[in-house]
């Protein structure tokens, strides 16, 4: 007889403890509570139906394709005066250019920071100084391949405190350049699309569970 009573007492004590530790979610909106409870289920359901949620391995190429650099001539001959580079900075509203040698190969990069630190602060003139004199040379250059992930590119930039990465192919030829802003925008857009896809899936929108 004491056995069942003792078990009931233990169950009652456990319930009391659970109630004491319970964190209510009643302060959340109905939509927020639904999202919290449904997100794992929705993600599995979307994947089971072939709906793309978060794109894995977003690459530098994805960021490059949407960058303003992909629409301009982002190179400059290193023998030209710095004044020509400044003109390009202003005309294209960019902060960095890839420098090339007489054969058209990449020789480094030149940035607005180079101009400020090596021309303006030192009292030199941009018309009488060549790009070669202030550029970062290829031997010290941090680069990436088009297939590298956006996350890896960001890590390189943060580690070296730089804001631009030239993209080189397997032969060492320059095929593009991305800025930190390009990478951040690519990441944010991808996450927004994933959220919208899951939201549409939850609401049953679209013939293929998408806004379109």
């Amino acid at each position: 007889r004491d056995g069942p009573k003792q078990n009931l007492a233990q169950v009652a004590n456990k319930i009391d403890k659970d109630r004491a530790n319970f964190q209510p979610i009643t302060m959340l909106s109905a939509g927020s509570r639904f999202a919290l409870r449904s997100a794992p289920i929705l993600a599995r359901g979307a994947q089971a139906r072939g709906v793309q949620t978060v794109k894995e391995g977003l690459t530098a190429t994805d960021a490059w394709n949407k960058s303003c650099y992909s629409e301009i001539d982002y190179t400059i001959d290193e023998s030209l005066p710095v004044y020509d580079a400044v003109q390009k900075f202003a005309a294209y509203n960019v902060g960095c250019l890839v420098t090339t040698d007489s054969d058209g190969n990449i020789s480094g990069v030149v940035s607005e920071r180079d101009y400020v630190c090596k021309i303006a602060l030192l009292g030199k003139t941009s018309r009488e100084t060549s790009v070669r004199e202030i550029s970062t040379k290829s031997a010290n250059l941090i680069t990436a391949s088009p297939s590298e992930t956006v996350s890896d590119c960001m890590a390189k930039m943060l580690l070296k405190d730089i804001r631009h990465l030239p993209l080189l192919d397997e032969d060492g030829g320059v095929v593009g350049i991305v800025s930190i802003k390009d990478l951040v925008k690519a990441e944010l857009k991808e996450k927004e699309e994933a959220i919208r896809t899951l939201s549409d899936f939850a609401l049953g929108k679209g013939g293929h569970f998408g806004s379109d």
Side-chain angles (χ1 to χ4, degrees):
R1 292 179 182 177
D2 291 338
K5 289 182 179 180
Q6 185 176 5
N7 290 338
L8 287 174
Q10 290 175 346
V11 170
N13 288 335
K14 186 178 186 305
I15 291 174
D16 290 338
K17 289 181 180 179
D18 289 342
R19 284 176 177 170
N21 295 327
F22 177 68
Q23 298 295 326
I25 60 172
T26 54
M27 296 299 292
L28 297 175
S29 67
S32 297
R33 292 198 300 271
F34 173 79
L36 285 172
R37 292 165 177 161
S38 304
I41 299 172
L42 293 176
R44 288 195 296 271
Q47 290 171 353
R49 289 167 173 78
V51 178
Q52 183 179 13
T53 53
V54 178
K55 182 178 179 181
E56 296 183 0
L58 194 68
T59 67
T61 298
D62 295 313
W64 158 251
N65 288 335
K66 297 176 183 178
S67 169
C68 66
Y69 278 106
S70 65
E71 301 174 353
I72 67 172
D73 176 13
Y74 53 86
T75 65
I76 187 166
D77 191 312
E78 64 179 5
S79 64
L80 293 175
V82 173
Y83 182 78
D84 287 23
V86 174
Q87 284 187 312
K88 272 197 168 185
F89 292 152
Y92 296 135
N93 192 28
V94 295
C96 186
L97 296 170
V98 173
T99 63
T100 56
D101 58 23
S102 57
D103 295 323
N105 299 317
I106 181 173
S107 60
V109 295
V110 62
S111 67
E112 290 175 325
R113 188 183 298 181
D114 291 325
Y115 170 75
V116 172
C117 296
K118 301 173 184 178
I119 296 292
L121 290 180
L122 297 180
K124 295 183 178 180
T125 62
S126 60
R127 292 181 184 274
E128 297 175 358
T129 307
S130 69
V131 170
R132 183 189 296 109
E133 294 178 61
I134 69 167
S135 63
T136 299
K137 304 301 184 288
S138 57
N140 301 316
L141 201 58
I142 306 300
T143 64
S145 70
S147 61
E148 284 191 57
T149 66
V150 166
S151 296
D152 287 342
C153 291
M154 284 184 172
K156 285 185 176 182
M157 288 183 171
L158 291 173
L159 181 63
K160 297 297 183 179
D161 191 26
I162 56 177
R163 293 175 294 174
H164 297 83
L165 272 182
L167 304 180
L168 306 184
D169 60 22
E170 295 179 354
D171 298 323
V174 61
V175 294
I177 181 172
V178 291
S179 67
I180 186 65
K181 181 170 69 174
D182 295 329
L183 300 178
V184 171
K185 286 170 64 177
E187 282 278 15
L188 289 177
K189 182 174 177 59
E190 197 62 37
K191 286 177 172 57
E192 288 172 357
E193 290 177 352
I195 291 170
R196 185 172 63 251
T197 298
L198 285 174
S199 176
D200 288 350
F201 176 77
L203 298 175
K205 289 183 180 179
H208 296 87
F209 299 97
S211 295
D212 298 332

